[in-house]
Amino acid sequence: RLAEIDTVLFDKTGTLTTGTPHVAASNMPATGRDVARALAARSNHPASLAIRHYLGSGSLAELDDIREWPGCGIAALWQGRRVRLGRPDWVAEIAGQAATATEGVCFAIEGQTLANFALGESLRTGAHEALEALRSAGLDTELLSGDGAVAVRRVARELEIGHAAAGQSPAAKIDRIRALQAGGAHVLMVGDGLNDAPSLAAADVSMAPASACDAGRLAADFVFTRDSLRSVPFAHDIALRAKRLVRQNFGLAIAYNCIAVPLAMAGLVTPLVAAIAMSASSIVVVANSLRLTGGGFDGKAGTSTQPVAEARSSAFEPAAEATA
């Protein structure tokens, strides 16, 4: 399936970026910090980790009915009032004002004003090279993110991604994948968060970094174990080479049988010659498959060993069975 993809969809935070943002600026007042700190401490989202670090150590408020809403943020009850930490528009629903900030993360106690945390982040290692390699391979690339439009446009502009959509919920990402599939596209989804798990499962093929949450790693077909995003075109290149080798091996198997079977039926092949020819054909097929380890692959891209092993085995098994 990986060899047949023609479209690659990327999440932003934790996938195209490092996943370790920092709070660049905030208007968080002194009051309510213990509540915001308690909410941030209950989530492993990269933004929550950054806010937790920004707020520093201190007391944590007692919270009830804590729930994490994929694509929105985390909510709870504090002294009978709702509190939220997450997307500005979602948090503004309980605040005493409209969301003026469209970027970063907001916090609010029901009926009170919004506090905004502006986040900064950097691109993941190898992001430029990976996107360029995918485009060179003739693949379309898109960016789907739940973050604000300004941050999404900035990353899309840096990586020269033509189609970028901001404010995407998990359902919206799935809708985009299904729309592409309905148009005949074969989609690779690359994401890391809890929000991406449904879209990772919906795509034809999916990848996640080792830093992804448990749900993301379990939903993905591939997990790349190093920080570099070059693992994505690396694995795609292996899949294309494996597919070519499978076809070559089927050709070798068919050619061998077209020659050997008529000779055997005519009684022109002794048992010893047949045994040698059979072994030789298997050796040729396996030797041809071993060419997959050549071509400049040095493993530096850091794909998981399991997917690479599966690609290698599939390169010769069908042909070997056909030969047998």
Side-chain angles (χ1 to χ4, degrees):
R1 297 199 306 273
L2 182 58
E4 296 172 353
I5 64 166
D6 49 37
T7 305
V8 186
L9 306 183
F10 288 95
D11 175 49
K12 184 179 76 68
T13 304
T15 303
L16 290 177
T17 61
T18 58
T20 54
H22 62 276
V23 176
S26 175
N27 62 350
M28 180 71 197
T31 57
R33 282 181 172 251
D34 57 338
V35 181
R37 191 181 297 114
L39 278 174
R42 295 303 185 100
S43 173
N44 288 323
H45 191 279
S48 296
L49 298 177
I51 293 171
R52 192 188 316 171
H53 182 267
Y54 173 79
L55 294 175
S57 59
S59 60
L60 302 179
E62 293 290 336
L63 302 178
D64 299 312
D65 193 24
I66 302 169
R67 297 180 62 187
E68 192 159 10
W69 296 80
C72 294
I74 186 167
L77 290 176
W78 174 70
Q79 296 182 356
R81 288 186 291 176
R82 292 180 293 172
V83 292
R84 288 182 179 180
L85 177 70
R87 286 173 50 177
D89 56 342
W90 180 69
V91 175
E93 293 175 1
I94 67 166
Q97 65 180 90
T100 55
T102 58
E103 298 300 316
V105 176
C106 282
F107 164 78
I109 299 172
E110 186 174 12
Q112 296 185 7
T113 58
L114 285 168
N116 177 255
F117 298 92
L119 302 178
E121 55 188 341
S122 56
L123 293 177
R124 182 181 285 271
T125 303
H128 287 284
E129 296 87 340
L131 269 294
E132 182 59 34
L134 293 172
R135 285 190 290 266
S136 298
L139 304 179
D140 295 328
T141 57
E142 297 186 13
L143 171 57
L144 302 179
S145 175
D147 293 349
V150 174
V152 171
R153 283 198 301 267
R154 179 183 63 81
V155 172
R157 185 169 57 251
E158 284 190 61
L159 296 176
E160 300 179 12
I161 299 176
H163 185 279
Q168 297 290 291
S169 65
K173 292 183 180 182
I174 293 177
D175 289 342
R176 178 57 180 166
I177 291 173
R178 288 177 177 168
L180 289 169
Q181 291 171 333
H186 295 85
V187 179
L188 166 64
M189 177 68 192
V190 187
D192 77 308
L194 178 64
N195 305 342
D196 301 313
S199 51
L200 289 170
D204 297 282
V205 191
S206 55
M207 290 188 185
S211 58
C213 69
D214 291 342
R217 291 197 303 271
L218 289 173
D221 298 307
F222 290 82
V223 172
F224 55 91
T225 57
R226 298 187 185 178
D227 291 335
S228 177
L229 206 62
R230 288 191 293 267
S231 301
V232 178
F234 174 81
H236 179 245
D237 203 359
I238 286 180
L240 292 175
R241 288 166 55 84
K243 185 177 181 179
R244 288 195 295 268
L245 289 175
V246 167
R247 291 176 174 175
Q248 292 172 12
N249 287 342
F250 270 116
L252 290 171
I254 292 171
Y256 164 79
N257 284 285
C258 287
I259 297 172
V261 171
L263 292 177
M265 292 177 64
L268 301 177
V269 179
T270 65
L272 177 61
V273 173
I276 294 174
M278 188 67 206
S279 300
S281 68
S282 297
I283 292 172
V284 169
V285 167
V286 173
N288 186 50
S289 299
L290 289 176
R291 294 194 301 117
L292 186 64
T293 61
F297 291 114
D298 55 6
K300 291 182 179 179
T303 47
S304 173
T305 56
Q306 183 178 355
V308 174
E310 289 173 354
R312 289 175 176 170
S313 64
S314 65
F316 62 81
E317 284 178 357
E321 292 170 1
T323 304

